[in-house]
Amino acid sequence: MKLDRKFFERDTLIVAKELLGKILVRNKNNEIIKCRIVETEAYIGPIDKACHAYGGKKTDRVKPLYGKAAVAYVYFIYGLYHCINITTGQEGSPECVLIRAVEPIQGIDYMSLNRYNEPYDKINRYKRKNLCNGPSKMTMACNITKEDNWVDLTESEDLYIENDESKFNIIEAKRIGIDYAEEAKDFLWRFYIEGNQYISKK
């Protein structure tokens, strides 16, 4: 069952934790990819110096963050790679959850072709481990691009998240790559499934 908007309208930290284990579904060029979300990060604009909309910043880039919950916020990093976040909380408050890493379940050959231009059975162990264990790696594998910015995950049939009731332990840790964010760099707002081989970093 597809997650509805009420799921995403809740407290961002709760959503970030409860997205773990859920299934990200991507339908692109009649190829269906399904992945288990294994690592997330929360961003809460009003109090978070690591958030693109900290201090009420409003630019064209961050407009999705101020909209309704369950909308994709896709942006470039280093001018090369995409990251996907999902808006959370209430409209007008810039909050979101970054999908950091996923575990491939279906469409693995297609994911491997997207990442390496090789089918999965032709890539080595290192490439398999690194197929989707990071925010830009997973968007490349899932063929998520800037075109998916503003997509409503409750209405789209091409990009959405399905419920799953898997059980596991959740680890809370510091977020990655935000050393500039002063006190916010120490917030334990990264969450991942303990022991999963596809997380980006323990």
Side-chain angles (χ1 to χ4, degrees):
M1 181 181 297
K2 184 187 296 186
L3 296 182
D4 61 17
R5 200 174 315 281
K6 288 183 179 179
F7 178 93
F8 297 96
E9 288 176 336
R10 300 173 300 153
D11 179 275
T12 298
L13 295 177
I14 292 174
V15 175
K17 291 179 184 179
E18 294 191 2
L19 275 172
L20 294 175
K22 301 298 189 285
I23 308 301
L24 177 70
V25 181
R26 175 60 161 162
N27 184 354
K28 185 78 170 183
N29 301 324
N30 294 318
E31 296 278 356
I32 296 177
I33 292 171
K34 291 191 177 186
C35 303
R36 187 178 310 281
I37 298 171
V38 300
E39 184 178 1
T40 62
E41 287 181 349
Y43 289 86
I44 302 176
I47 60 172
D48 183 4
K49 293 177 181 175
C51 182
H52 292 167
Y54 173 69
K57 180 179 180 181
K58 290 186 177 180
T59 63
D60 286 342
R61 181 196 194 195
V62 303
K63 279 182 179 179
L65 293 178
Y66 288 90
K68 57 190 176 182
V71 169
Y73 168 48
V74 182
Y75 61 88
F76 255 152
I77 56 171
Y78 311 125
L80 295 170
Y81 308 113
H82 293 96
C83 293
I84 182 170
N85 300 254
I86 304 171
T87 57
T88 52
Q90 299 303 307
E91 190 167 355
S93 183
E95 304 178 31
C96 64
V97 174
L98 170 70
I99 308 300
R100 274 202 66 88
V102 297
E103 174 185 345
I105 296 174
Q106 178 180 329
I108 300 176
D109 259 351
Y110 184 55
M111 296 176 71
S112 182
L113 288 167
N114 288 335
R115 280 276 283 131
Y116 304 119
N117 202 31
E118 294 180 280
Y120 188 75
D121 63 357
K122 299 296 184 182
I123 62 176
N124 60 32
R125 183 180 298 179
Y126 176 82
K127 286 184 176 179
R128 290 183 181 190
K129 182 179 179 181
N130 285 272
L131 179 62
C132 45
N133 64 340
S136 58
K137 296 174 186 178
M138 63 83 53
T139 56
M140 291 172 65
C142 295
N143 200 356
I144 294 171
T145 69
K146 191 72 172 179
E147 292 181 359
D148 299 299
N149 195 38
W150 284 103
V151 167
D152 188 326
L153 276 72
T154 67
E155 298 178 355
S156 174
E157 295 302 322
D158 298 326
L159 184 64
Y160 57 92
I161 298 175
E162 292 180 337
N163 193 29
D164 189 275
E165 300 296 336
S166 300
K167 304 296 182 184
F168 42 78
N169 291 328
I170 296 175
I171 302 297
E172 301 181 4
K174 294 180 182 180
R175 294 172 294 178
I176 297 171
I178 57 165
D179 290 342
Y180 60 86
E182 299 181 4
E183 73 281 353
K185 68 182 176 59
D186 294 320
F187 294 170
L188 300 180
W189 287 1
R190 180 166 68 96
F191 309 99
Y192 62 87
I193 294 177
E194 184 177 19
N196 189 280
Q197 64 175 323
Y198 286 98
I199 63 172
S200 63
K201 184 178 179 181
K202 291 185 179 179

